[in-house]
Amino acid sequence: MGFLDNLFKKEAKKFVSGMVEKAVDTVMNGNSSGNVKLTGTAGLRARLEEVVANEYTDYEFRQNVPAREIGAESGTADYSYGLYKNGAPVAFFNVIENKNDYKKKPLRMAKQAAEMNNIPHMNFFSHLPNETSYISQRLKKEIIRY
């Protein structure tokens, strides 16, 4: 059985390697239709950044914003993104990778700190579709234009 096991493992590695190579090529170069749909956290971040770049051109979009910037207490989660107008925060966003993390105290504190400062806060969950149209509508609904 040693020969067959080795042969099977060798062929399985070739197959998996080929599949990974095709997946990387699709992500890096696009698929045959020219459309690449990123999923998960990378896809969510790309769509969120795209919406802000296209619809909030006169705003500044910052990544990894420290919660202490708005006077949040120690132990508060930082914000994945902050949207600013004339140097003042207009909205904060957290990208949630694990669907139940929003229940954890640091993220609850982040939401509370933003709300106490009258700054809209939104959680976006990477396991959900979060299509571009949804993100756009949600931002328009939540953000007061300055």
Side-chain angles (χ1 to χ4, degrees):
M1 278 307 246
F3 171 76
L4 291 176
D5 283 339
N6 290 337
L7 181 62
F8 178 72
K9 286 179 186 176
K10 184 177 176 182
E11 291 304 312
K13 282 182 185 178
K14 279 188 207 177
F15 177 76
V16 170
S17 176
M19 295 300 288
V20 168
E21 201 171 289
K22 285 179 186 176
V24 168
D25 184 52
T26 298
V27 169
M28 298 302 289
N29 302 313
N31 58 22
S32 60
S33 67
N35 298 326
V36 175
K37 179 161 177 156
L38 295 175
T39 58
T41 303
L44 170 57
R45 286 180 177 272
R47 288 187 298 280
L48 188 56
E49 291 170 13
E50 176 187 353
V51 168
V52 171
N54 292 333
E55 298 180 19
Y56 296 84
T57 55
D58 54 341
Y59 289 71
E60 181 185 356
F61 198 49
R62 301 179 192 170
Q63 286 189 24
N64 304 318
V65 178
R68 68 180 175 277
E69 183 178 295
I70 59 168
E73 64 184 86
S74 179
T76 302
D78 292 337
Y79 301 101
S80 303
Y81 295 100
L83 186 64
Y84 293 77
K85 178 75 171 191
N86 299 323
V90 174
F92 290 117
F93 314 103
N94 279 102
V95 173
I96 310 294
E97 295 182 14
N98 297 309
K99 63 182 175 182
N100 290 319
D101 280 358
Y102 76 98
K103 297 176 185 177
K104 292 183 177 178
K105 188 173 182 179
L107 283 164
R108 289 194 331 263
M109 290 169 60
K111 183 171 185 64
Q112 181 181 24
E115 289 172 350
M116 286 178 60
N117 285 283
N118 294 318
I119 303 167
H121 176 271
M122 290 163 262
N123 287 325
F124 289 93
F125 297 84
S126 64
H127 70 281
L128 297 175
N130 290 299
E131 298 295 335
T132 304
S133 59
Y134 167 76
I135 294 171
S136 175
Q137 290 170 4
R138 186 160 177 211
L139 267 58
K140 285 175 186 171
K141 178 182 171 190
E142 297 286 336
I143 296 173
I144 300 168
R145 297 266 180 165
Y146 290 83

